Amino acid sequence: MGNRPEPLSFKDLKSYSLYERKSKVSLEKLGHPFQRGARFREFLESLPQELAARDLLEIAQAVVEARKAKRPFIFAFGAHVIKVGVSPFILSLMEKGIISALSTNGAAMVHDAELAMAGITSEDVAEALKDGSFGAARETGELLNEAARLGAEGPGLGRALGKLIAESDFPYKHLSLFGRAYELDLPITVHVALGTDIVHIHPSADGAAIGRASYIDFQIFSRLVSELEGGVFLLAGSTVILPEVFLKALSAVRNLGFKVEKFVTANFDFIRHYRPLTNVVHRPTLSGGKGYSITGHHEILIPLLYGALIELWEEEDAHL
Protein backbone atom coordinates (compact mmCIF):
# COMPACT_ATOMS: atom_id res chain seq x y z
CA MET A 1 0.00 0.00 0.00
CA GLY A 2 3.06 2.26 0.34
CA ASN A 3 3.23 2.78 -3.48
CA ARG A 4 -0.36 3.97 -3.82
CA PRO A 5 -0.40 7.21 -5.95
CA GLU A 6 -1.67 10.35 -4.31
CA PRO A 7 -4.90 11.54 -5.99
CA LEU A 8 -4.23 14.64 -8.14
CA SER A 9 -6.00 17.81 -7.09
CA PHE A 10 -7.59 20.03 -9.74
CA LYS A 11 -8.22 23.02 -7.46
CA ASP A 12 -5.69 25.23 -9.32
CA LEU A 13 -6.79 24.28 -12.87
CA LYS A 14 -7.24 27.37 -15.05
CA SER A 15 -10.67 27.69 -16.65
CA TYR A 16 -12.17 30.03 -19.24
CA SER A 17 -15.61 31.11 -20.39
CA LEU A 18 -17.54 28.80 -22.70
CA TYR A 19 -18.86 31.89 -24.50
CA GLU A 20 -15.33 32.99 -25.46
CA ARG A 21 -14.11 29.58 -26.60
CA LYS A 22 -13.61 28.74 -30.29
CA SER A 23 -15.97 25.83 -31.10
CA LYS A 24 -16.39 23.58 -34.13
CA VAL A 25 -20.17 23.16 -33.91
CA SER A 26 -22.67 26.01 -33.90
CA LEU A 27 -26.42 26.36 -34.35
CA GLU A 28 -26.24 27.23 -38.05
CA LYS A 29 -24.58 23.87 -38.76
CA LEU A 30 -27.36 21.81 -37.23
CA GLY A 31 -29.70 19.89 -39.48
CA HIS A 32 -33.45 20.13 -39.30
CA PRO A 33 -36.21 17.63 -40.08
CA PHE A 34 -37.20 17.33 -43.72
CA GLN A 35 -40.82 18.35 -44.25
CA ARG A 36 -43.16 16.21 -46.32
CA GLY A 37 -43.83 17.65 -49.75
CA ALA A 38 -40.70 19.81 -49.81
CA ARG A 39 -38.38 19.99 -52.84
CA PHE A 40 -35.11 18.11 -53.05
CA ARG A 41 -33.24 21.41 -52.70
CA GLU A 42 -34.92 21.85 -49.32
CA PHE A 43 -33.87 18.35 -48.34
CA LEU A 44 -30.26 19.20 -49.15
CA GLU A 45 -30.53 22.39 -47.11
CA SER A 46 -31.92 20.39 -44.20
CA LEU A 47 -28.75 18.30 -43.89
CA PRO A 48 -26.30 19.09 -41.08
CA GLN A 49 -23.36 21.15 -42.34
CA GLU A 50 -20.91 18.68 -40.86
CA LEU A 51 -18.66 15.80 -41.98
CA ALA A 52 -19.99 13.68 -44.88
CA ALA A 53 -23.12 15.79 -45.45
CA ARG A 54 -21.01 18.91 -45.80
CA ASP A 55 -18.45 17.10 -47.97
CA LEU A 56 -21.12 15.77 -50.34
CA LEU A 57 -22.36 19.28 -51.04
CA GLU A 58 -18.81 20.61 -51.41
CA ILE A 59 -18.01 17.88 -53.95
CA ALA A 60 -21.15 18.71 -55.92
CA GLN A 61 -20.25 22.41 -55.86
CA ALA A 62 -16.72 21.64 -57.04
CA VAL A 63 -18.03 19.58 -59.96
CA VAL A 64 -20.46 22.28 -61.07
CA GLU A 65 -17.84 25.02 -60.81
CA ALA A 66 -15.35 22.90 -62.77
CA ARG A 67 -17.78 22.14 -65.57
CA LYS A 68 -19.03 25.72 -65.84
CA ALA A 69 -15.37 26.71 -66.20
CA LYS A 70 -15.01 24.03 -68.91
CA ARG A 71 -12.74 21.91 -66.74
CA PRO A 72 -13.14 18.11 -66.64
CA PHE A 73 -15.17 15.88 -64.37
CA ILE A 74 -13.82 12.34 -64.71
CA PHE A 75 -16.10 9.70 -63.21
CA ALA A 76 -14.19 6.49 -62.44
CA PHE A 77 -16.11 3.47 -61.20
CA GLY A 78 -15.97 -0.23 -60.50
CA ALA A 79 -18.44 -2.88 -61.62
CA HIS A 80 -20.36 -2.78 -58.34
CA VAL A 81 -21.70 0.64 -59.28
CA ILE A 82 -23.50 -0.89 -62.26
CA LYS A 83 -24.68 -3.93 -60.29
CA VAL A 84 -26.47 -1.81 -57.68
CA GLY A 85 -28.55 -0.08 -60.33
CA VAL A 86 -27.27 3.48 -60.62
CA SER A 87 -26.44 3.50 -64.34
CA PRO A 88 -29.48 5.70 -65.16
CA PHE A 89 -28.15 8.45 -62.87
CA ILE A 90 -24.74 8.31 -64.55
CA LEU A 91 -26.34 8.32 -68.00
CA SER A 92 -28.27 11.46 -67.11
CA LEU A 93 -25.11 13.24 -65.93
CA MET A 94 -23.42 12.27 -69.19
CA GLU A 95 -26.31 13.57 -71.28
CA LYS A 96 -26.45 16.87 -69.37
CA GLY A 97 -22.75 17.47 -70.02
CA ILE A 98 -21.76 17.21 -66.36
CA ILE A 99 -19.61 14.09 -66.70
CA SER A 100 -16.88 14.71 -69.28
CA ALA A 101 -15.16 11.30 -69.24
CA LEU A 102 -15.51 7.87 -67.66
CA SER A 103 -13.01 5.21 -66.61
CA THR A 104 -13.64 1.73 -65.29
CA ASN A 105 -12.37 -1.83 -64.98
CA GLY A 106 -12.97 -4.97 -67.01
CA ALA A 107 -15.78 -6.33 -64.85
CA ALA A 108 -17.87 -3.22 -65.53
CA MET A 109 -17.81 -4.09 -69.24
CA VAL A 110 -19.39 -7.44 -68.39
CA HIS A 111 -22.30 -6.05 -66.42
CA ASP A 112 -22.93 -3.11 -68.74
CA ALA A 113 -22.93 -5.33 -71.83
CA GLU A 114 -25.15 -8.01 -70.28
CA LEU A 115 -27.71 -5.43 -69.24
CA ALA A 116 -27.71 -4.03 -72.77
CA MET A 117 -28.08 -7.46 -74.36
CA ALA A 118 -30.54 -9.16 -72.03
CA GLY A 119 -31.59 -6.80 -69.25
CA ILE A 120 -29.98 -9.12 -66.68
CA THR A 121 -26.52 -9.55 -65.14
CA SER A 122 -24.63 -10.79 -62.06
CA GLU A 123 -24.88 -14.56 -61.85
CA ASP A 124 -24.89 -16.64 -58.66
CA VAL A 125 -21.15 -17.21 -58.39
CA ALA A 126 -21.25 -19.66 -55.48
CA GLU A 127 -23.75 -21.91 -57.25
CA ALA A 128 -22.16 -21.72 -60.71
CA LEU A 129 -18.68 -22.35 -59.33
CA LYS A 130 -19.67 -25.87 -58.24
CA ASP A 131 -19.73 -27.22 -61.80
CA GLY A 132 -17.38 -24.70 -63.40
CA SER A 133 -20.09 -22.88 -65.32
CA PHE A 134 -19.28 -19.55 -63.65
CA GLY A 135 -18.36 -16.98 -66.26
CA ALA A 136 -19.17 -19.16 -69.27
CA ALA A 137 -21.99 -17.09 -70.80
CA ARG A 138 -21.30 -17.38 -74.55
CA GLU A 139 -22.71 -14.04 -75.73
CA THR A 140 -20.79 -12.07 -73.11
CA GLY A 141 -17.47 -13.62 -74.02
CA GLU A 142 -17.97 -13.22 -77.76
CA LEU A 143 -18.99 -9.54 -77.53
CA LEU A 144 -16.27 -8.37 -75.16
CA ASN A 145 -13.49 -10.30 -76.86
CA GLU A 146 -14.60 -8.87 -80.20
CA ALA A 147 -14.39 -5.42 -78.59
CA ALA A 148 -10.83 -6.19 -77.52
CA ARG A 149 -9.90 -7.26 -81.05
CA LEU A 150 -11.38 -4.09 -82.56
CA GLY A 151 -10.01 -1.89 -79.80
CA ALA A 152 -6.49 -3.15 -80.33
CA GLU A 153 -6.65 -1.79 -83.87
CA GLY A 154 -6.68 1.77 -82.60
CA PRO A 155 -9.76 3.10 -80.83
CA GLY A 156 -9.10 1.40 -77.48
CA LEU A 157 -11.23 -1.02 -75.52
CA GLY A 158 -13.91 1.30 -74.13
CA ARG A 159 -14.74 3.03 -77.40
CA ALA A 160 -14.73 -0.24 -79.33
CA LEU A 161 -17.26 -1.79 -76.97
CA GLY A 162 -19.34 1.37 -77.07
CA LYS A 163 -19.46 1.25 -80.85
CA LEU A 164 -20.52 -2.40 -80.89
CA ILE A 165 -23.33 -1.75 -78.42
CA ALA A 166 -24.48 1.52 -79.99
CA GLU A 167 -24.71 -0.05 -83.45
CA SER A 168 -26.35 -3.27 -82.23
CA ASP A 169 -30.00 -4.22 -81.99
CA PHE A 170 -29.75 -5.03 -78.29
CA PRO A 171 -33.13 -4.28 -76.68
CA TYR A 172 -31.70 -2.43 -73.68
CA LYS A 173 -28.75 -0.65 -75.25
CA HIS A 174 -30.16 2.69 -74.08
CA LEU A 175 -29.05 1.65 -70.56
CA SER A 176 -25.43 1.08 -71.60
CA LEU A 177 -22.84 3.55 -70.34
CA PHE A 178 -20.49 2.38 -73.08
CA GLY A 179 -23.01 2.69 -75.86
CA ARG A 180 -24.16 6.13 -74.75
CA ALA A 181 -20.59 7.34 -74.30
CA TYR A 182 -19.90 6.38 -77.91
CA GLU A 183 -23.02 8.22 -79.11
CA LEU A 184 -22.10 11.32 -77.10
CA ASP A 185 -18.43 11.08 -78.15
CA LEU A 186 -17.36 10.96 -74.50
CA PRO A 187 -14.13 9.15 -73.63
CA ILE A 188 -14.64 5.91 -71.69
CA THR A 189 -11.53 3.92 -70.81
CA VAL A 190 -11.22 0.37 -69.50
CA HIS A 191 -8.30 -0.82 -67.39
CA VAL A 192 -7.98 -4.58 -67.39
CA ALA A 193 -5.96 -6.97 -65.25
CA LEU A 194 -5.60 -10.16 -67.27
CA GLY A 195 -7.29 -13.11 -65.60
CA THR A 196 -9.69 -11.07 -63.50
CA ASP A 197 -12.68 -11.04 -65.87
CA ILE A 198 -14.89 -13.93 -66.96
CA VAL A 199 -14.30 -13.24 -70.66
CA HIS A 200 -10.62 -14.11 -70.29
CA ILE A 201 -11.46 -17.84 -69.99
CA HIS A 202 -13.42 -17.96 -73.25
CA PRO A 203 -12.01 -19.53 -76.43
CA SER A 204 -12.36 -16.19 -78.19
CA ALA A 205 -10.05 -14.42 -75.71
CA ASP A 206 -6.83 -12.99 -77.14
CA GLY A 207 -4.45 -11.82 -74.44
CA ALA A 208 -2.44 -9.71 -76.85
CA ALA A 209 -5.55 -7.91 -78.11
CA ILE A 210 -6.90 -7.37 -74.59
CA GLY A 211 -3.58 -6.00 -73.42
CA ARG A 212 -3.11 -3.77 -76.45
CA ALA A 213 -6.66 -2.37 -76.32
CA SER A 214 -6.44 -1.67 -72.59
CA TYR A 215 -2.99 -0.08 -72.97
CA ILE A 216 -4.39 2.31 -75.57
CA ASP A 217 -7.06 3.19 -73.01
CA PHE A 218 -4.37 3.85 -70.43
CA GLN A 219 -2.74 6.27 -72.84
CA ILE A 220 -6.11 7.97 -73.44
CA PHE A 221 -6.74 8.08 -69.69
CA SER A 222 -3.33 9.67 -69.16
CA ARG A 223 -4.26 12.37 -71.68
CA LEU A 224 -7.45 13.01 -69.68
CA VAL A 225 -5.44 13.27 -66.45
CA SER A 226 -3.01 15.70 -68.11
CA GLU A 227 -5.97 18.09 -68.49
CA LEU A 228 -7.28 17.68 -64.93
CA GLU A 229 -6.01 21.02 -63.55
CA GLY A 230 -9.03 22.80 -62.09
CA GLY A 231 -11.21 19.72 -62.53
CA VAL A 232 -12.61 16.88 -60.46
CA PHE A 233 -11.77 13.16 -60.34
CA LEU A 234 -14.31 10.99 -58.53
CA LEU A 235 -13.76 7.29 -57.85
CA ALA A 236 -16.57 4.95 -56.84
CA GLY A 237 -16.15 1.28 -56.07
CA SER A 238 -12.65 0.32 -57.23
CA THR A 239 -10.21 -0.53 -54.47
CA VAL A 240 -7.06 -1.53 -56.37
CA ILE A 241 -6.97 -1.21 -60.17
CA LEU A 242 -8.28 2.31 -60.73
CA PRO A 243 -6.44 3.92 -57.78
CA GLU A 244 -3.19 2.44 -59.08
CA VAL A 245 -3.92 3.45 -62.68
CA PHE A 246 -4.76 7.00 -61.60
CA LEU A 247 -1.56 7.39 -59.57
CA LYS A 248 0.66 6.12 -62.40
CA ALA A 249 -1.04 8.35 -64.96
CA LEU A 250 -0.69 11.39 -62.70
CA SER A 251 3.00 10.75 -62.14
CA ALA A 252 3.57 10.25 -65.88
CA VAL A 253 1.88 13.49 -66.94
CA ARG A 254 3.71 15.50 -64.30
CA ASN A 255 6.96 13.92 -65.50
CA LEU A 256 6.08 15.04 -69.03
CA GLY A 257 5.69 18.63 -67.87
CA PHE A 258 1.91 18.98 -67.55
CA LYS A 259 0.71 21.15 -64.69
CA VAL A 260 -1.79 19.09 -62.70
CA GLU A 261 -1.74 20.41 -59.15
CA LYS A 262 -4.98 22.11 -58.12
CA PHE A 263 -7.93 19.78 -58.56
CA VAL A 264 -10.47 17.95 -56.44
CA THR A 265 -10.59 14.20 -55.86
CA ALA A 266 -13.24 12.14 -54.11
CA ASN A 267 -13.70 8.50 -53.21
CA PHE A 268 -17.08 6.86 -52.59
CA ASP A 269 -17.09 3.34 -51.15
CA PHE A 270 -18.82 1.31 -48.47
CA ILE A 271 -15.50 0.33 -46.84
CA ARG A 272 -12.45 2.54 -46.32
CA HIS A 273 -9.54 1.04 -48.24
CA TYR A 274 -5.86 1.96 -48.25
CA ARG A 275 -5.30 2.52 -51.98
CA PRO A 276 -8.24 4.81 -52.75
CA LEU A 277 -7.45 6.93 -49.71
CA THR A 278 -3.73 7.07 -50.42
CA ASN A 279 -3.62 7.10 -54.23
CA VAL A 280 -6.71 9.21 -54.94
CA VAL A 281 -7.64 11.28 -51.89
CA HIS A 282 -4.34 12.09 -50.17
CA ARG A 283 -1.14 11.92 -52.28
CA PRO A 284 -2.39 13.49 -55.53
CA THR A 285 -3.77 16.59 -53.78
CA LEU A 286 -0.68 17.48 -51.75
CA SER A 287 0.32 20.11 -54.33
CA GLY A 288 -2.70 22.30 -53.73
CA GLY A 289 -5.83 20.30 -54.43
CA LYS A 290 -8.39 18.85 -52.04
CA GLY A 291 -9.45 15.26 -51.46
CA TYR A 292 -12.66 13.86 -49.99
CA SER A 293 -13.66 10.41 -48.84
CA ILE A 294 -17.26 9.44 -48.11
CA THR A 295 -18.09 6.00 -46.78
CA GLY A 296 -21.49 4.61 -47.72
CA HIS A 297 -23.43 2.52 -50.21
CA HIS A 298 -23.27 3.50 -53.86
CA GLU A 299 -26.99 2.93 -54.36
CA ILE A 300 -27.55 5.75 -51.85
CA LEU A 301 -24.53 8.02 -52.32
CA ILE A 302 -24.63 8.34 -56.10
CA PRO A 303 -28.34 9.26 -56.31
CA LEU A 304 -27.74 11.81 -53.52
CA LEU A 305 -24.80 13.28 -55.41
CA TYR A 306 -26.88 13.28 -58.57
CA GLY A 307 -29.65 15.23 -56.87
CA ALA A 308 -27.20 17.77 -55.48
CA LEU A 309 -25.51 18.18 -58.87
CA ILE A 310 -28.78 18.69 -60.72
CA GLU A 311 -30.00 21.29 -58.23
CA LEU A 312 -26.73 23.23 -58.38
CA TRP A 313 -26.43 22.84 -62.17
CA GLU A 314 -29.89 24.25 -62.79
CA GLU A 315 -29.31 27.00 -60.25
CA GLU A 316 -26.14 28.05 -62.08
CA ASP A 317 -28.00 28.02 -65.40
CA ALA A 318 -30.69 30.26 -63.93
CA HIS A 319 -28.06 32.83 -62.97
CA LEU A 320 -26.51 33.01 -66.44
Side-chain angles (χ1 to χ4, degrees):
M1 297 296 292
N3 293 326
R4 179 182 176 184
E6 183 72 22
L8 182 66
S9 172
F10 299 116
K11 68 177 184 178
D12 294 325
L13 186 137
K14 300 178 179 64
S15 64
Y16 55 82
S17 171
L18 165 65
Y19 299 97
E20 298 173 354
R21 187 191 67 193
K22 182 178 180 180
S23 300
K24 295 181 179 179
V25 178
S26 56
L27 293 178
E28 61 268 19
K29 292 186 177 182
L30 301 182
H32 56 270
F34 179 58
Q35 300 300 314
R36 181 180 178 183
R39 297 176 61 250
F40 190 76
R41 154 63 71 177
E42 293 170 297
F43 164 73
L44 293 174
E45 292 173 348
S46 77
L47 296 174
Q49 300 302 301
E50 293 286 353
L51 303 175
R54 175 201 62 211
D55 288 352
L56 181 74
L57 297 178
E58 288 185 3
I59 293 167
Q61 186 66 53
V63 170
V64 171
E65 290 177 358
R67 295 304 292 137
K68 295 299 182 181
K70 302 191 182 306
R71 304 313 303 151
F73 171 36
I74 303 173
F75 183 78
F77 61 98
H80 186 259
V81 169
I82 295 177
K83 289 171 63 176
V84 297
V86 299
S87 290
F89 296 94
I90 301 169
L91 286 166
S92 179
L93 293 177
M94 294 162 60
E95 291 165 352
K96 292 179 184 297
I98 298 176
I99 289 177
S100 60
L102 303 98
S103 296
T104 190
N105 56 19
M109 292 195 305
V110 172
H111 297 301
D112 185 90
E114 289 186 345
L115 283 175
M117 286 189 286
I120 56 174
T121 190
S122 193
E123 60 190 300
D124 186 334
V125 177
E127 185 63 30
L129 196 60
K130 294 176 182 178
D131 63 1
S133 61
F134 167 56
R138 181 177 61 257
E139 295 86 354
T140 307
E142 290 175 351
L143 176 65
L144 269 60
N145 286 321
E146 174 66 6
R149 187 187 68 78
L150 293 174
E153 296 175 359
L157 188 50
R159 185 166 179 80
L161 178 60
K163 185 176 190 296
L164 289 174
I165 292 175
E167 296 178 353
S168 75
D169 58 358
F170 297 153
Y172 308 106
K173 66 181 182 180
H174 61 284
L175 294 175
S176 169
L177 301 178
F178 286 87
R180 195 68 181 115
Y182 177 80
E183 292 171 345
L184 295 170
D185 201 25
L186 287 180
I188 181 166
T189 62
V190 184
H191 307 277
V192 172
L194 285 171
T196 60
D197 304 322
I198 61 171
V199 297
H200 301 163
I201 66 174
H202 284 247
S204 57
D206 182 338
I210 295 168
R212 175 61 181 159
S214 189
Y215 184 68
I216 292 170
D217 275 10
F218 175 64
Q219 293 176 302
I220 295 170
F221 178 73
S222 296
R223 172 63 68 182
L224 297 172
V225 172
S226 76
E227 300 167 350
L228 190 55
E229 180 75 9
V232 179
F233 179 83
L234 189 149
L235 173 67
S238 176
T239 61
V240 178
I241 291 179
L242 293 180
E244 292 293 349
V245 167
F246 177 65
L247 197 72
K248 305 318 185 289
L250 180 61
S251 181
V253 300
R254 286 176 172 174
N255 181 288
L256 290 169
F258 292 94
K259 181 182 179 182
V260 186
E261 297 175 352
K262 295 181 180 179
F263 57 94
V264 169
T265 65
N267 179 62
F268 286 4
D269 216 337
F270 52 85
I271 300 176
R272 294 174 68 86
H273 293 277
Y274 170 79
R275 282 181 176 83
L277 288 175
T278 304
N279 291 1
V280 174
V281 177
H282 295 150
R283 286 174 177 164
T285 58
L286 291 175
S287 298
K290 187 169 185 178
Y292 296 89
S293 180
I294 299 183
T295 304
H297 290 272
H298 297 122
E299 63 271 25
I300 298 173
L301 284 179
I302 292 176
L304 281 176
L305 177 65
Y306 172 84
L309 284 170
I310 295 304
E311 289 285 345
L312 291 170
W313 188 259
E314 292 177 351
E315 184 178 275
E316 286 288 329
D317 281 345
H319 291 162
L320 294 178

